[in-house]
Amino acid sequence: MTSTDHVHTAATARRRQRTFMPPSQSSRTDSQARAYISLLDQLFYATVDECPDPHCRPLLLDRVAADVEATRTLVAWACYIASEMYCELPPELVDEDVAADTVFYPSPFFCRLAAEYHNPGPAFDTLFATYEADQRRQVADNAVALVDGFQVWWTDFLYQ
């Protein structure tokens, strides 16, 4: 639960069409993940349902950013969805200069992680381990906004 008076779940979310499954249904659900997976789902539902509470999404982002593994899972989830949609991660997500010209405009921190997403070895995790909470908050915000943009605009989202 956040510090607001509500939570977001599949049962409480408005019924608009959703293309993507929330993190709980598309990533691991072992005992380690159970601690934060409902938080990721709340953030997903709050974002795609455009929660009108001005404090809700920022509070959820703060809670996600405080948990390194939760944030890493969220970013990997978004990168997986994007790479499946485009058969690879497009330059608009991995190249900071190209990303600056998009309507989405991911942070440089997100672009650096996305660039390492498909590389074999620990590069993604090593880079992610260097991020501070405010940087994790940016990449968490970018990750959930990316998936939300795909929900609405599909592959056209990056090319508007």
Side-chain angles (χ1 to χ4, degrees):
M1 169 109 66
T2 63
S3 296
T4 62
D5 61 353
H6 64 282
V7 295
H8 295 274
T9 65
T12 62
R14 291 182 302 167
R15 299 290 178 217
R16 86 172 188 175
Q17 181 173 345
R18 288 190 190 84
T19 305
F20 303 106
M21 295 181 293
S24 66
Q25 295 177 26
S26 57
S27 60
R28 70 172 204 234
T29 55
D30 61 18
S31 61
Q32 181 184 10
R34 286 187 199 120
Y36 61 78
I37 206 75
S38 67
L39 178 62
L40 298 181
D41 284 2
Q42 284 187 59
L43 178 58
F44 171 71
Y45 289 126
T47 302
V48 299
D49 287 336
E50 299 171 352
C51 180
D53 182 337
H55 304 289
C56 180
R57 197 163 174 278
L59 286 169
L60 289 167
L61 281 167
D62 288 344
R63 290 192 57 209
V64 169
D67 187 318
V68 174
E69 187 61 25
T71 310
R72 193 189 78 58
T73 298
L74 189 66
V75 172
W77 169 71
C79 285
Y80 173 78
I81 289 171
S83 66
E84 288 292 305
M85 289 181 66
Y86 297 108
C87 297
E88 65 181 10
L89 290 174
E92 291 80 4
L93 295 178
V94 299
D95 184 315
E96 295 172 42
D97 294 330
V98 176
D101 293 332
T102 68
V103 67
F104 173 54
Y105 191 58
S107 73
F109 304 110
F110 183 89
C111 290
R112 291 175 201 144
L113 283 174
E116 295 298 335
Y117 178 70
H118 283 298
N119 290 336
F124 180 87
D125 292 332
T126 301
L127 176 61
F128 192 80
T130 67
Y131 285 7
E132 300 292 329
D134 62 325
Q135 296 163 329
R136 289 193 307 268
R137 190 181 193 283
Q138 286 179 37
V139 299
D141 188 26
N142 289 160
V144 76
L146 177 65
V147 175
D148 184 41
F150 288 154
Q151 295 259 121
V152 176
W153 299 100
W154 198 241
T155 57
D156 291 340
F157 177 57
L158 296 178
Y159 305 105
Q160 295 186 40

